[in-house]
Amino acid sequence: MPRTTIRAALAQEHPLVCPLAHDALSASMIEKAGFKAFAIGGSAMLAARYALPDIGLIGLSDMVAGIRDIASASALPFFADGDDGYGGNRNVARMIEAYEAAGVGAILIEDQNRDSKQQRADRAKHVCDDAVIEGKLRTAMAARSDKETFIVGRTDAYGPLGLSAAIRRAGRYLELGVDGVFVAGLTAESEYEEVGRALDGAFLSAAMFGGAATPWLTVSELRDMGYSQVSFPAFVISRAVAAMQDGLVALRAHGDGTTPIERPDFVDSTRPFLDDAVALAKWNAYAGT
C-alpha cells in the first residue's frame, strides 16, 4: 500500500494524534490500532535501538537506519526528528534527501545547540543564533524534492531564553515559509494557550509527555487552543519499559526460587496481536506457492 501524505492525514483528523514508534513492531501496532499517522522521536528510537540517550551522540546514518526499519513496517505517513540537521547547511540538505528517501513525511529541525543538547526540552541550555537556524530552515525547504514534505521548525528557546523569545523565533520560522512550528518545553497550560494565541492560524505541534512536571491536556483542549498535531513522545515506550521491568524482576525472582511465577496467561491472549503485527498469515501463505 502506498504511503499517504501528512496533509492527507490532517484532512482525516484534527488535531492529528501521533504516538511515537520506537521500532518496527510499535509502528505496525500503531497502524493496526487505527491511528492516521505516527512520529519517530530521537529519544524513544535511540533508547530502543541503541540504548543511548538523545543528547547528540548519534549521526545521520544511525538515525536513518532506524527510520528505515520503522518505515518498512507501516504505510502510515510519519513525522521524524531531524535534530539540528546534523551539521551545517550542507548537512541539512543531505539529511532532507536521506529522510525523504526513507519515506519521512514531516521533518522537525531544531535550534538547540548540538554540543550541549539535552533530552528534556525544558532543560535546554543553549540555542544557536537566529541566523544559523534560519539558514538551516531555508536550506531544508530548498532541498526537499517533494513539496508535500512538511518542514517543521522546532524551537527549544523556552528553556534558555524564555517563552517570549521562543514565540518570536517560531513566528520568524513561519515568516520564512516553513509548514509548521513546534515550541518545545512548555510547562504550563497557560503557556500552551499563549503560544496558540500568538501563532493563531499556523500549523502548531504539541507534545504531551505525561510526566508530573508537564501539563496533560486533552486532544479537544489542544484543538480549541489552535494546535494541529499532537504527539505523545513517552507514552508507548514508557509502557513497554514498565512492562519489561516488572516482568524481568518477576522472572529473576522466579529463577532464584524466591517467588515462583504461575504459568503466564498473557502469552496466549497477546499472541493474536503479535501475529497480526508481524503479518504472520501473509508470510505463511507463501509456503504453499
Side-chain angles (χ1 to χ4, degrees), residues 149-192:
T149 301
F150 265 49
I151 304 299
V152 180
R154 166 177 167 161
T155 179
D156 288 74
Y158 172 89
L161 302 178
L163 181 59
S164 295
I167 291 174
R168 181 193 62 76
R169 283 199 170 205
R172 177 58 183 159
Y173 302 165
L174 291 168
E175 290 174 0
L176 294 177
V178 298
D179 299 287
V181 291
F182 172 36
V183 179
L186 305 181
T187 59
E189 180 176 350
S190 60
E191 294 171 344
Y192 281 90

Side-chain angles (χ1 to χ4, degrees), residues 36-127:
K36 309 301 182 186
F38 64 89
I40 300 175
S43 57
M45 194 203 79
L46 299 184
R49 188 178 180 89
Y50 303 109
L52 288 173
D54 184 20
I55 54 172
L57 297 175
I58 63 98
L60 174 61
S61 296
D62 299 310
M63 192 70 179
V64 170
I67 289 172
R68 284 175 179 155
D69 284 352
I70 294 172
S72 69
S74 171
L76 292 178
F78 61 95
F79 294 74
D81 183 359
D83 263 15
D84 65 339
Y86 305 98
N89 291 351
R90 288 178 292 188
N91 301 87
V92 170
R94 180 168 178 255
M95 183 265 289
I96 295 295
E97 289 187 2
Y99 273 34
E100 284 190 318
V104 180
I107 303 168
L108 284 76
I109 301 174
E110 67 183 53
D111 57 4
Q112 189 175 176
N113 279 355
R114 191 169 188 82
D115 289 343
S116 58
K117 181 177 171 64
Q118 299 296 303
Q119 188 160 290
R120 285 273 306 275
D122 59 311
R123 297 177 182 175
K125 296 180 178 180
H126 304 287
V127 289

